[in-house]
Structure formats: structure tokens, C-alpha cells
Amino acid sequence: ENRIFSGIQPTGNLTLGNYLGAIRNWAALQDDYECIYCLVDLHAITLFQNPEELRRNTREVAAGLLACGIDPKKHILFNQSQNQDHAELAWIFNCVARMGWLNRMTQFKEKAGKNRENASTGLFVYPNLMAADILAYKATHVPVGEDQKQHLELARDIAAKFNNDWEKPDFFPLTEPLILGAATRVMSLRDGTKKMSKSDPSDMSRINMTDGPDAIAQKIRKAKTDPEALPSEAEGLEGRPEAQNLVNIYAALRGVDVETALGDVGGKQFSEFKPILSDVAVSVLGPIGEEMQRLLQDVAEIDRILCEGSERSRAITNPILREVREVVGFVQ
Ligand code: TYM
């Protein structure tokens, strides 16, 4: 039986990277699978969050997911802190994962920066909590952008070690990542070698899902490029990170592959391609941004959806956690 789980941090703005790398795929998977989508507020506080902002961002990201077509009736949408099983299983995984495994995590190194002594210990064990998120549901598939691949490999290592240590060969599934679409790693508009991120200090580096048509057009107009025209074959994008990124975005927004996209726009100068790209971006993001604003008028309804979602999430994880306690040897 296939079960989909994925999570997103309720920090700052949702970006085009979140949308193309994850959320759009989450929405599409709902037709064929049982899906559980989580706003990971416990992950968010690995870096300090202002409480009012955290609450506001949680509701805003919930509105974003709903506006993108996540269906909270057929599937589950909730925030992580309302299901304590995530934190309990994460503790058990803290005792399964090895220091050496976590020392290899590139995201920790990036987020901790130079001053590693001053990083929260939560930031270090963050991937264990992520494994707990997934395995508390025994989820089989996890749709994410490419930047989460290393964390998912760790989740597999944790599942395998747990199964092996307690001699329960099939207890946790070895979860598969689903990295889908033409833009699995959307890059900064200012630097084609850096990931587009909600935490980049420059707002010009990213397209936010709440940006209006003027902001989108301006950011794309100012996006870094090179002097050449677009190639007509995908190989021609090699060594041209900014061109590659804009073409990937264009292809993903249109839901086609890069070859097909270049069939339309290959040979064009950026001055001609950029307005075309802006129009596609506005036509996809415009209605989503408007729907988000509409949903945010009724915060109580969003809170109700999350509360109900968490109740249904607990109905899945409570029996799995009971099994886990039994396996580990806790009296209950
Ligand atoms: P987060 O909140 O950073 O991002 C949410 C999702 O968006 C994808 N994404 C991108 N995809 C393509 N290009 C980009 N520039 C880009 N930026 C973000 C991410 O890959 C992700 O799929 N640790 C996770 C949240 C998490 C989680 C989980 C995910 C917690 N528990 C369990 C899956 C399963 C994170 O920080 O994602």
C-alpha cells in the first residue's frame, strides 16, 4: 500500500522553488495516492522564530497549500506540533542515528555556517525528526525538491538500522523520494549556482507566491543572464546556469520537458524570452496568490482545518507508535 508524506517549513515566503519543486507535485499526487502534508513548525524552530511570525507564517503556508489545490477533506493537512508522535519517534531515532551520519549532512553545514559551536542541537538532529515525520506513518513515497535527497537517504538508513537492531526486518519501509518535474532545483534569479530560497536576504533573488504581476515581471526582467541567445537543444544549456534555470522554470510552469520548451523558445534572445516567461509565471501564480489572500481573511477556518487534520494524523500514528514502544521494550 503506497502512502505519500511530505513537509514544508512555515518560515517566510513560499517561493517558486517550493511550488515547482514540491507543492505542485503534492497536488497532482492526490489523484492516485493517500497523501499527508505537514507544516513542520518543530523543524522551523531549529532557527529562532518570533512567535507571532511563526503563527502567521503557519497560517500563510497553510493558505498557500490550500490555494494550490491541496484537499484537506480527502487527504490530511496539519501542523507538526499538534501531533506529539513526531517528537517522540524523533527521540527514539536520536538513539538510532549515528553522529557520523549527521556529520555528513550538507544542509547542517550550510545552515550552521562558520560558527558551528553556536548552532542549536536541534539543527544538528533535524534529519532525525524528518525521518520520524515520514516513518510515523510508514510512508512509502516522499515528494521533495532535490535539496532534500540527502535527508531522505538518511531516513532510509535509520529505517534499516531500526529494523535490523530490533530484528523486525519489515517494520519500517525504506522510503523512496519522488523528485518530479523539470525544475527539481530552482536557482536564485541573481546567481544560477545558488538555490532559490526564502531565506536569501535579496527579495530580487526569488519569486514569492504572493508576488503580483508587476513584481514578477520586474524580477524576471532583472534576472541575471548571459549574452547568448537560447539554444535549440538541451545540451546547449550546459555551462550556462542562469539560462538553464530560466528554461527549467519555463518548462516546469508549462508542464512540459526542457526539449519541448526549447522547441518553442530556442533561438530567442533573453529580451524576447523574458516577457514570455513573465506571462506564464503570472498566469500560473496570479490566481494562486489571489486565492491565498482570500483564504487568509478567515484565519479561524484555517486553524480548524489544521486541528482536524492533526486529529486524523494522530489516528494513523498512534497505533504505529504503540507498536514502536512494544518493539523497543517500553512498558505500556
Ligand atoms: P523546505 O521547507 O525547505 O522546502 C519545502 C519543499 O520545497 C522544496 N524546495 C525546492 N525545490 C526546488 N527548488 C528550490 N529552490 C526549492 N526550495 C525548496 C524542498 O525540496 C521541499 O520539498 N526539511 C524539509 C521539510 C521536511 C520534510 C519532512 C520534507 C520536514 N520533514 C519530511 C519531506 C518529508 C524542508 O526544510 O523543506
Side-chain angles (χ1 to χ4, degrees), residues 115-152:
N115 194 359
R116 214 184 286 187
E117 289 292 305
N118 198 38
S120 74
T121 50
L123 189 65
F124 186 67
V125 295
Y126 175 120
N128 297 344
L129 177 58
M130 192 163 150
D133 296 339
I134 298 163
L135 296 172
Y137 301 83
K138 298 190 176 179
T140 57
H141 294 83
V142 180
V144 286
E146 220 163 87
D147 60 325
Q148 296 300 319
K149 211 170 146 191
Q150 194 185 35
H151 290 155
L152 293 184

PDB file of all heavy atoms in Angstrom, residues 115-152:
ATOM      1  N   ASN A 115      30.067  29.315  12.539  1.00  0.00           N
ATOM      2  CA  ASN A 115      30.024  29.259  13.989  1.00  0.00           C
ATOM      3  C   ASN A 115      29.257  28.021  14.462  1.00  0.00           C
ATOM      4  O   ASN A 115      28.187  28.123  15.052  1.00  0.00           O
ATOM      5  CB  ASN A 115      29.375  30.541  14.512  1.00  0.00           C
ATOM      6  CG  ASN A 115      29.593  30.705  16.004  1.00  0.00           C
ATOM      7  OD1 ASN A 115      30.215  29.857  16.646  1.00  0.00           O
ATOM      8  ND2 ASN A 115      29.071  31.781  16.550  1.00  0.00           N
ATOM      9  N   ARG A 116      29.812  26.851  14.192  1.00  0.00           N
ATOM     10  CA  ARG A 116      29.088  25.619  14.470  1.00  0.00           C
ATOM     11  C   ARG A 116      28.825  25.383  15.961  1.00  0.00           C
ATOM     12  O   ARG A 116      27.832  24.788  16.342  1.00  0.00           O
ATOM     13  CB  ARG A 116      29.840  24.433  13.871  1.00  0.00           C
ATOM     14  CG  ARG A 116      28.863  23.385  13.388  1.00  0.00           C
ATOM     15  CD  ARG A 116      29.528  22.157  12.865  1.00  0.00           C
ATOM     16  NE  ARG A 116      30.146  22.358  11.562  1.00  0.00           N
ATOM     17  CZ  ARG A 116      30.661  21.343  10.869  1.00  0.00           C
ATOM     18  NH1 ARG A 116      30.628  20.128  11.363  1.00  0.00           N
ATOM     19  NH2 ARG A 116      31.210  21.547   9.692  1.00  0.00           N
ATOM     20  N   GLU A 117      29.749  25.883  16.793  1.00  0.00           N
ATOM     21  CA  GLU A 117      29.590  25.737  18.249  1.00  0.00           C
ATOM     22  C   GLU A 117      28.297  26.382  18.736  1.00  0.00           C
ATOM     23  O   GLU A 117      27.768  26.028  19.777  1.00  0.00           O
ATOM     24  CB  GLU A 117      30.766  26.410  18.974  1.00  0.00           C
ATOM     25  CG  GLU A 117      32.085  25.683  18.823  1.00  0.00           C
ATOM     26  CD  GLU A 117      32.075  24.348  19.540  1.00  0.00           C
ATOM     27  OE1 GLU A 117      31.792  24.342  20.741  1.00  0.00           O
ATOM     28  OE2 GLU A 117      32.334  23.317  18.884  1.00  0.00           O
ATOM     29  N   ASN A 118      27.803  27.348  17.989  1.00  0.00           N
ATOM     30  CA  ASN A 118      26.652  28.123  18.416  1.00  0.00           C
ATOM     31  C   ASN A 118      25.349  27.681  17.749  1.00  0.00           C
ATOM     32  O   ASN A 118      24.298  28.278  17.975  1.00  0.00           O
ATOM     33  CB  ASN A 118      26.929  29.608  18.134  1.00  0.00           C
ATOM     34  CG  ASN A 118      26.010  30.516  18.907  1.00  0.00           C
ATOM     35  OD1 ASN A 118      25.687  30.224  20.057  1.00  0.00           O
ATOM     36  ND2 ASN A 118      25.564  31.583  18.279  1.00  0.00           N
ATOM     37  N   ALA A 119      25.397  26.622  16.916  1.00  0.00           N
ATOM     38  CA  ALA A 119      24.171  26.110  16.296  1.00  0.00           C
ATOM     39  C   ALA A 119      23.354  25.375  17.357  1.00  0.00           C
ATOM     40  O   ALA A 119      23.913  24.785  18.277  1.00  0.00           O
ATOM     41  CB  ALA A 119      24.528  25.166  15.151  1.00  0.00           C
ATOM     42  N   SER A 120      22.013  25.414  17.224  1.00  0.00           N
ATOM     43  CA  SER A 120      21.197  24.659  18.186  1.00  0.00           C
ATOM     44  C   SER A 120      21.423  23.172  17.955  1.00  0.00           C
ATOM     45  O   SER A 120      21.708  22.731  16.832  1.00  0.00           O
ATOM     46  CB  SER A 120      19.713  25.006  18.018  1.00  0.00           C
ATOM     47  OG  SER A 120      19.174  24.414  16.847  1.00  0.00           O
ATOM     48  N   THR A 121      21.284  22.379  19.032  1.00  0.00           N
ATOM     49  CA  THR A 121      21.437  20.931  18.851  1.00  0.00           C
ATOM     50  C   THR A 121      20.275  20.394  18.017  1.00  0.00           C
ATOM     51  O   THR A 121      20.406  19.388  17.338  1.00  0.00           O
ATOM     52  CB  THR A 121      21.519  20.211  20.213  1.00  0.00           C
ATOM     53  OG1 THR A 121      20.438  20.655  21.027  1.00  0.00           O
ATOM     54  CG2 THR A 121      22.836  20.506  20.908  1.00  0.00           C
ATOM     55  N   GLY A 122      19.138  21.101  18.056  1.00  0.00           N
ATOM     56  CA  GLY A 122      18.007  20.720  17.204  1.00  0.00           C
ATOM     57  C   GLY A 122      18.362  20.771  15.731  1.00  0.00           C
ATOM     58  O   GLY A 122      17.943  19.913  14.952  1.00  0.00           O
ATOM     59  N   LEU A 123      19.142  21.772  15.352  1.00  0.00           N
ATOM     60  CA  LEU A 123      19.531  21.880  13.942  1.00  0.00           C
ATOM     61  C   LEU A 123      20.365  20.667  13.520  1.00  0.00           C
ATOM     62  O   LEU A 123      20.251  20.174  12.402  1.00  0.00           O
ATOM     63  CB  LEU A 123      20.320  23.179  13.710  1.00  0.00           C
ATOM     64  CG  LEU A 123      20.618  23.542  12.259  1.00  0.00           C
ATOM     65  CD1 LEU A 123      19.334  23.831  11.489  1.00  0.00           C
ATOM     66  CD2 LEU A 123      21.556  24.753  12.171  1.00  0.00           C
ATOM     67  N   PHE A 124      21.183  20.170  14.462  1.00  0.00           N
ATOM     68  CA  PHE A 124      22.026  19.013  14.140  1.00  0.00           C
ATOM     69  C   PHE A 124      21.192  17.739  13.955  1.00  0.00           C
ATOM     70  O   PHE A 124      21.418  16.965  13.034  1.00  0.00           O
ATOM     71  CB  PHE A 124      23.068  18.819  15.259  1.00  0.00           C
ATOM     72  CG  PHE A 124      24.081  17.756  14.956  1.00  0.00           C
ATOM     73  CD1 PHE A 124      24.999  17.921  13.929  1.00  0.00           C
ATOM     74  CD2 PHE A 124      24.116  16.581  15.705  1.00  0.00           C
ATOM     75  CE1 PHE A 124      25.940  16.929  13.643  1.00  0.00           C
ATOM     76  CE2 PHE A 124      25.051  15.586  15.421  1.00  0.00           C
ATOM     77  CZ  PHE A 124      25.963  15.760  14.388  1.00  0.00           C
ATOM     78  N   VAL A 125      20.199  17.535  14.819  1.00  0.00           N
ATOM     79  CA  VAL A 125      19.405  16.297  14.745  1.00  0.00           C
ATOM     80  C   VAL A 125      18.141  16.463  13.882  1.00  0.00           C
ATOM     81  O   VAL A 125      17.321  15.540  13.797  1.00  0.00           O
ATOM     82  CB  VAL A 125      19.018  15.751  16.143  1.00  0.00           C
ATOM     83  CG1 VAL A 125      20.266  15.335  16.907  1.00  0.00           C
ATOM     84  CG2 VAL A 125      18.221  16.758  16.943  1.00  0.00           C
ATOM     85  N   TYR A 126      18.028  17.600  13.241  1.00  0.00           N
ATOM     86  CA  TYR A 126      16.903  17.893  12.332  1.00  0.00           C
ATOM     87  C   TYR A 126      16.558  16.723  11.405  1.00  0.00           C
ATOM     88  O   TYR A 126      15.383  16.363  11.269  1.00  0.00           O
ATOM     89  CB  TYR A 126      17.321  19.152  11.571  1.00  0.00           C
ATOM     90  CG  TYR A 126      16.474  19.687  10.461  1.00  0.00           C
ATOM     91  CD1 TYR A 126      15.945  20.980  10.559  1.00  0.00           C
ATOM     92  CD2 TYR A 126      16.241  18.989   9.285  1.00  0.00           C
ATOM     93  CE1 TYR A 126      15.204  21.531   9.526  1.00  0.00           C
ATOM     94  CE2 TYR A 126      15.505  19.532   8.257  1.00  0.00           C
ATOM     95  CZ  TYR A 126      14.992  20.803   8.375  1.00  0.00           C
ATOM     96  OH  TYR A 126      14.260  21.340   7.357  1.00  0.00           O
ATOM     97  N   PRO A 127      17.544  16.071  10.770  1.00  0.00           N
ATOM     98  CA  PRO A 127      17.183  14.965   9.857  1.00  0.00           C
ATOM     99  C   PRO A 127      16.539  13.770  10.577  1.00  0.00           C
ATOM    100  O   PRO A 127      15.789  13.016   9.952  1.00  0.00           O
ATOM    101  CB  PRO A 127      18.513  14.557   9.225  1.00  0.00           C
ATOM    102  CG  PRO A 127      19.418  15.735   9.418  1.00  0.00           C
ATOM    103  CD  PRO A 127      18.996  16.355  10.707  1.00  0.00           C
ATOM    104  N   ASN A 128      16.826  13.610  11.870  1.00  0.00           N
ATOM    105  CA  ASN A 128      16.178  12.517  12.612  1.00  0.00           C
ATOM    106  C   ASN A 128      14.693  12.799  12.781  1.00  0.00           C
ATOM    107  O   ASN A 128      13.856  11.891  12.684  1.00  0.00           O
ATOM    108  CB  ASN A 128      16.814  12.348  13.996  1.00  0.00           C
ATOM    109  CG  ASN A 128      18.276  11.958  13.916  1.00  0.00           C
ATOM    110  OD1 ASN A 128      18.742  11.533  12.866  1.00  0.00           O
ATOM    111  ND2 ASN A 128      18.990  12.115  15.019  1.00  0.00           N
ATOM    112  N   LEU A 129      14.363  14.069  13.038  1.00  0.00           N
ATOM    113  CA  LEU A 129      12.950  14.460  13.140  1.00  0.00           C
ATOM    114  C   LEU A 129      12.258  14.272  11.791  1.00  0.00           C
ATOM    115  O   LEU A 129      11.109  13.822  11.728  1.00  0.00           O
ATOM    116  CB  LEU A 129      12.843  15.923  13.615  1.00  0.00           C
ATOM    117  CG  LEU A 129      11.442  16.531  13.710  1.00  0.00           C
ATOM    118  CD1 LEU A 129      10.530  15.727  14.640  1.00  0.00           C
ATOM    119  CD2 LEU A 129      11.521  17.990  14.189  1.00  0.00           C
ATOM    120  N   MET A 130      12.978  14.572  10.743  1.00  0.00           N
ATOM    121  CA  MET A 130      12.395  14.406   9.399  1.00  0.00           C
ATOM    122  C   MET A 130      12.103  12.923   9.120  1.00  0.00           C
ATOM    123  O   MET A 130      11.051  12.578   8.571  1.00  0.00           O
ATOM    124  CB  MET A 130      13.378  14.990   8.384  1.00  0.00           C
ATOM    125  CG  MET A 130      12.818  15.161   7.031  1.00  0.00           C
ATOM    126  SD  MET A 130      13.846  16.276   6.051  1.00  0.00           S
ATOM    127  CE  MET A 130      13.512  15.553   4.446  1.00  0.00           C
ATOM    128  N   ALA A 131      13.033  12.059   9.526  1.00  0.00           N
ATOM    129  CA  ALA A 131      12.798  10.610   9.363  1.00  0.00           C
ATOM    130  C   ALA A 131      11.584  10.187  10.184  1.00  0.00           C
ATOM    131  O   ALA A 131      10.757   9.374   9.737  1.00  0.00           O
ATOM    132  CB  ALA A 131      14.047   9.833   9.808  1.00  0.00           C
ATOM    133  N   ALA A 132      11.447  10.772  11.390  1.00  0.00           N
ATOM    134  CA  ALA A 132      10.307  10.438  12.249  1.00  0.00           C
ATOM    135  C   ALA A 132       8.994  10.884  11.594  1.00  0.00           C
ATOM    136  O   ALA A 132       7.989  10.171  11.644  1.00  0.00           O
ATOM    137  CB  ALA A 132      10.472  11.082  13.619  1.00  0.00           C
ATOM    138  N   ASP A 133       9.006  12.073  10.992  1.00  0.00           N
ATOM    139  CA  ASP A 133       7.802  12.573  10.298  1.00  0.00           C
ATOM    140  C   ASP A 133       7.285  11.515   9.321  1.00  0.00           C
ATOM    141  O   ASP A 133       6.093  11.228   9.254  1.00  0.00           O
ATOM    142  CB  ASP A 133       8.125  13.826   9.462  1.00  0.00           C
ATOM    143  CG  ASP A 133       8.578  15.005  10.292  1.00  0.00           C
ATOM    144  OD1 ASP A 133       8.293  15.035  11.504  1.00  0.00           O
ATOM    145  OD2 ASP A 133       9.234  15.903   9.711  1.00  0.00           O
ATOM    146  N   ILE A 134       8.222  10.994   8.550  1.00  0.00           N
ATOM    147  CA  ILE A 134       7.869  10.078   7.465  1.00  0.00           C
ATOM    148  C   ILE A 134       7.479   8.707   8.019  1.00  0.00           C
ATOM    149  O   ILE A 134       6.454   8.131   7.647  1.00  0.00           O
ATOM    150  CB  ILE A 134       9.084   9.923   6.513  1.00  0.00           C
ATOM    151  CG1 ILE A 134       9.448  11.275   5.890  1.00  0.00           C
ATOM    152  CG2 ILE A 134       8.826   8.854   5.461  1.00  0.00           C
ATOM    153  CD1 ILE A 134      10.847  11.313   5.283  1.00  0.00           C
ATOM    154  N   LEU A 135       8.299   8.219   8.950  1.00  0.00           N
ATOM    155  CA  LEU A 135       8.135   6.823   9.374  1.00  0.00           C
ATOM    156  C   LEU A 135       7.033   6.655  10.416  1.00  0.00           C
ATOM    157  O   LEU A 135       6.530   5.546  10.585  1.00  0.00           O
ATOM    158  CB  LEU A 135       9.478   6.265   9.854  1.00  0.00           C
ATOM    159  CG  LEU A 135      10.534   6.193   8.726  1.00  0.00           C
ATOM    160  CD1 LEU A 135      11.904   5.822   9.279  1.00  0.00           C
ATOM    161  CD2 LEU A 135      10.126   5.218   7.620  1.00  0.00           C
ATOM    162  N   ALA A 136       6.610   7.744  11.058  1.00  0.00           N
ATOM    163  CA  ALA A 136       5.462   7.663  11.969  1.00  0.00           C
ATOM    164  C   ALA A 136       4.203   7.232  11.197  1.00  0.00           C
ATOM    165  O   ALA A 136       3.232   6.784  11.796  1.00  0.00           O
ATOM    166  CB  ALA A 136       5.229   8.997  12.663  1.00  0.00           C
ATOM    167  N   TYR A 137       4.247   7.406   9.887  1.00  0.00           N
ATOM    168  CA  TYR A 137       3.115   6.994   9.028  1.00  0.00           C
ATOM    169  C   TYR A 137       3.466   5.750   8.210  1.00  0.00           C
ATOM    170  O   TYR A 137       2.667   5.315   7.393  1.00  0.00           O
ATOM    171  CB  TYR A 137       2.743   8.149   8.071  1.00  0.00           C
ATOM    172  CG  TYR A 137       2.354   9.393   8.836  1.00  0.00           C
ATOM    173  CD1 TYR A 137       3.331  10.263   9.315  1.00  0.00           C
ATOM    174  CD2 TYR A 137       1.026   9.655   9.123  1.00  0.00           C
ATOM    175  CE1 TYR A 137       2.992  11.386  10.057  1.00  0.00           C
ATOM    176  CE2 TYR A 137       0.673  10.779   9.858  1.00  0.00           C
ATOM    177  CZ  TYR A 137       1.651  11.628  10.325  1.00  0.00           C
ATOM    178  OH  TYR A 137       1.310  12.725  11.071  1.00  0.00           O
ATOM    179  N   LYS A 138       4.704   5.245   8.384  1.00  0.00           N
ATOM    180  CA  LYS A 138       5.227   4.209   7.486  1.00  0.00           C
ATOM    181  C   LYS A 138       4.987   4.613   6.026  1.00  0.00           C
ATOM    182  O   LYS A 138       4.548   3.802   5.199  1.00  0.00           O
ATOM    183  CB  LYS A 138       4.598   2.829   7.794  1.00  0.00           C
ATOM    184  CG  LYS A 138       4.909   2.343   9.206  1.00  0.00           C
ATOM    185  CD  LYS A 138       4.499   0.889   9.426  1.00  0.00           C
ATOM    186  CE  LYS A 138       4.920   0.396  10.808  1.00  0.00           C
ATOM    187  NZ  LYS A 138       4.531  -1.004  11.075  1.00  0.00           N
ATOM    188  N   ALA A 139       5.270   5.889   5.731  1.00  0.00           N
ATOM    189  CA  ALA A 139       5.050   6.389   4.364  1.00  0.00           C
ATOM    190  C   ALA A 139       6.041   5.741   3.408  1.00  0.00           C
ATOM    191  O   ALA A 139       7.185   5.463   3.773  1.00  0.00           O
ATOM    192  CB  ALA A 139       5.195   7.903   4.329  1.00  0.00           C
ATOM    193  N   THR A 140       5.598   5.497   2.185  1.00  0.00           N
ATOM    194  CA  THR A 140       6.429   4.802   1.200  1.00  0.00           C
ATOM    195  C   THR A 140       7.085   5.747   0.203  1.00  0.00           C
ATOM    196  O   THR A 140       8.129   5.434  -0.353  1.00  0.00           O
ATOM    197  CB  THR A 140       5.592   3.785   0.406  1.00  0.00           C
ATOM    198  OG1 THR A 140       4.499   4.490  -0.208  1.00  0.00           O
ATOM    199  CG2 THR A 140       5.050   2.694   1.329  1.00  0.00           C
ATOM    200  N   HIS A 141       6.458   6.914  -0.028  1.00  0.00           N
ATOM    201  CA  HIS A 141       6.982   7.847  -1.032  1.00  0.00           C
ATOM    202  C   HIS A 141       6.934   9.275  -0.503  1.00  0.00           C
ATOM    203  O   HIS A 141       5.948   9.674   0.118  1.00  0.00           O
ATOM    204  CB  HIS A 141       6.176   7.755  -2.330  1.00  0.00           C
ATOM    205  CG  HIS A 141       6.321   6.435  -3.012  1.00  0.00           C
ATOM    206  ND1 HIS A 141       5.578   5.334  -2.652  1.00  0.00           N
ATOM    207  CD2 HIS A 141       7.142   6.042  -4.011  1.00  0.00           C
ATOM    208  CE1 HIS A 141       5.941   4.308  -3.414  1.00  0.00           C
ATOM    209  NE2 HIS A 141       6.887   4.705  -4.250  1.00  0.00           N
ATOM    210  N   VAL A 142       8.001  10.027  -0.797  1.00  0.00           N
ATOM    211  CA  VAL A 142       8.101  11.391  -0.286  1.00  0.00           C
ATOM    212  C   VAL A 142       8.452  12.343  -1.429  1.00  0.00           C
ATOM    213  O   VAL A 142       9.586  12.341  -1.915  1.00  0.00           O
ATOM    214  CB  VAL A 142       9.172  11.473   0.827  1.00  0.00           C
ATOM    215  CG1 VAL A 142       9.287  12.898   1.356  1.00  0.00           C
ATOM    216  CG2 VAL A 142       8.831  10.528   1.972  1.00  0.00           C
ATOM    217  N   PRO A 143       7.491  13.151  -1.878  1.00  0.00           N
ATOM    218  CA  PRO A 143       7.777  14.102  -2.957  1.00  0.00           C
ATOM    219  C   PRO A 143       8.487  15.346  -2.419  1.00  0.00           C
ATOM    220  O   PRO A 143       7.960  16.030  -1.545  1.00  0.00           O
ATOM    221  CB  PRO A 143       6.380  14.463  -3.485  1.00  0.00           C
ATOM    222  CG  PRO A 143       5.451  14.211  -2.339  1.00  0.00           C
ATOM    223  CD  PRO A 143       6.069  13.137  -1.490  1.00  0.00           C
ATOM    224  N   VAL A 144       9.672  15.624  -2.937  1.00  0.00           N
ATOM    225  CA  VAL A 144      10.504  16.752  -2.485  1.00  0.00           C
ATOM    226  C   VAL A 144      11.296  17.316  -3.655  1.00  0.00           C
ATOM    227  O   VAL A 144      11.394  16.706  -4.715  1.00  0.00           O
ATOM    228  CB  VAL A 144      11.539  16.302  -1.418  1.00  0.00           C
ATOM    229  CG1 VAL A 144      10.885  16.035  -0.081  1.00  0.00           C
ATOM    230  CG2 VAL A 144      12.330  15.085  -1.895  1.00  0.00           C
ATOM    231  N   GLY A 145      11.892  18.502  -3.440  1.00  0.00           N
ATOM    232  CA  GLY A 145      12.894  19.022  -4.357  1.00  0.00           C
ATOM    233  C   GLY A 145      14.220  18.324  -4.107  1.00  0.00           C
ATOM    234  O   GLY A 145      14.386  17.618  -3.107  1.00  0.00           O
ATOM    235  N   GLU A 146      15.158  18.561  -5.024  1.00  0.00           N
ATOM    236  CA  GLU A 146      16.422  17.833  -4.977  1.00  0.00           C
ATOM    237  C   GLU A 146      17.223  18.081  -3.695  1.00  0.00           C
ATOM    238  O   GLU A 146      17.954  17.192  -3.237  1.00  0.00           O
ATOM    239  CB  GLU A 146      17.263  18.263  -6.173  1.00  0.00           C
ATOM    240  CG  GLU A 146      17.993  17.125  -6.806  1.00  0.00           C
ATOM    241  CD  GLU A 146      18.448  17.509  -8.190  1.00  0.00           C
ATOM    242  OE1 GLU A 146      19.542  18.092  -8.309  1.00  0.00           O
ATOM    243  OE2 GLU A 146      17.681  17.257  -9.135  1.00  0.00           O
ATOM    244  N   ASP A 147      17.047  19.257  -3.087  1.00  0.00           N
ATOM    245  CA  ASP A 147      17.857  19.587  -1.903  1.00  0.00           C
ATOM    246  C   ASP A 147      17.565  18.678  -0.705  1.00  0.00           C
ATOM    247  O   ASP A 147      18.348  18.662   0.237  1.00  0.00           O
ATOM    248  CB  ASP A 147      17.649  21.060  -1.512  1.00  0.00           C
ATOM    249  CG  ASP A 147      16.194  21.373  -1.185  1.00  0.00           C
ATOM    250  OD1 ASP A 147      15.296  20.796  -1.815  1.00  0.00           O
ATOM    251  OD2 ASP A 147      15.956  22.186  -0.275  1.00  0.00           O
ATOM    252  N   GLN A 148      16.462  17.940  -0.733  1.00  0.00           N
ATOM    253  CA  GLN A 148      16.111  17.078   0.405  1.00  0.00           C
ATOM    254  C   GLN A 148      16.561  15.631   0.231  1.00  0.00           C
ATOM    255  O   GLN A 148      16.321  14.783   1.101  1.00  0.00           O
ATOM    256  CB  GLN A 148      14.597  17.113   0.656  1.00  0.00           C
ATOM    257  CG  GLN A 148      14.086  18.483   1.059  1.00  0.00           C
ATOM    258  CD  GLN A 148      14.738  18.983   2.332  1.00  0.00           C
ATOM    259  OE1 GLN A 148      14.934  18.234   3.282  1.00  0.00           O
ATOM    260  NE2 GLN A 148      15.094  20.263   2.348  1.00  0.00           N
ATOM    261  N   LYS A 149      17.221  15.352  -0.894  1.00  0.00           N
ATOM    262  CA  LYS A 149      17.583  13.967  -1.210  1.00  0.00           C
ATOM    263  C   LYS A 149      18.474  13.324  -0.150  1.00  0.00           C
ATOM    264  O   LYS A 149      18.248  12.180   0.262  1.00  0.00           O
ATOM    265  CB  LYS A 149      18.326  13.973  -2.555  1.00  0.00           C
ATOM    266  CG  LYS A 149      18.140  12.737  -3.349  1.00  0.00           C
ATOM    267  CD  LYS A 149      18.692  12.911  -4.741  1.00  0.00           C
ATOM    268  CE  LYS A 149      19.247  11.591  -5.199  1.00  0.00           C
ATOM    269  NZ  LYS A 149      20.025  11.736  -6.440  1.00  0.00           N
ATOM    270  N   GLN A 150      19.466  14.075   0.313  1.00  0.00           N
ATOM    271  CA  GLN A 150      20.390  13.508   1.299  1.00  0.00           C
ATOM    272  C   GLN A 150      19.659  13.175   2.606  1.00  0.00           C
ATOM    273  O   GLN A 150      19.929  12.139   3.224  1.00  0.00           O
ATOM    274  CB  GLN A 150      21.532  14.501   1.565  1.00  0.00           C
ATOM    275  CG  GLN A 150      22.679  13.853   2.310  1.00  0.00           C
ATOM    276  CD  GLN A 150      23.768  14.827   2.700  1.00  0.00           C
ATOM    277  OE1 GLN A 150      23.505  15.986   3.024  1.00  0.00           O
ATOM    278  NE2 GLN A 150      25.016  14.365   2.687  1.00  0.00           N
ATOM    279  N   HIS A 151      18.709  14.007   2.994  1.00  0.00           N
ATOM    280  CA  HIS A 151      17.940  13.723   4.208  1.00  0.00           C
ATOM    281  C   HIS A 151      17.105  12.456   4.048  1.00  0.00           C
ATOM    282  O   HIS A 151      16.917  11.706   5.005  1.00  0.00           O
ATOM    283  CB  HIS A 151      17.017  14.900   4.548  1.00  0.00           C
ATOM    284  CG  HIS A 151      17.753  16.120   5.019  1.00  0.00           C
ATOM    285  ND1 HIS A 151      17.244  17.384   4.905  1.00  0.00           N
ATOM    286  CD2 HIS A 151      18.956  16.254   5.620  1.00  0.00           C
ATOM    287  CE1 HIS A 151      18.100  18.251   5.421  1.00  0.00           C
ATOM    288  NE2 HIS A 151      19.154  17.593   5.846  1.00  0.00           N
ATOM    289  N   LEU A 152      16.594  12.234   2.848  1.00  0.00           N
ATOM    290  CA  LEU A 152      15.772  11.042   2.642  1.00  0.00           C
ATOM    291  C   LEU A 152      16.615   9.778   2.641  1.00  0.00           C
ATOM    292  O   LEU A 152      16.167   8.715   3.079  1.00  0.00           O
ATOM    293  CB  LEU A 152      14.972  11.167   1.346  1.00  0.00           C
ATOM    294  CG  LEU A 152      13.904  12.267   1.395  1.00  0.00           C
ATOM    295  CD1 LEU A 152      13.094  12.279   0.116  1.00  0.00           C
ATOM    296  CD2 LEU A 152      12.985  12.074   2.576  1.00  0.00           C
TER     297      LEU A 152
END
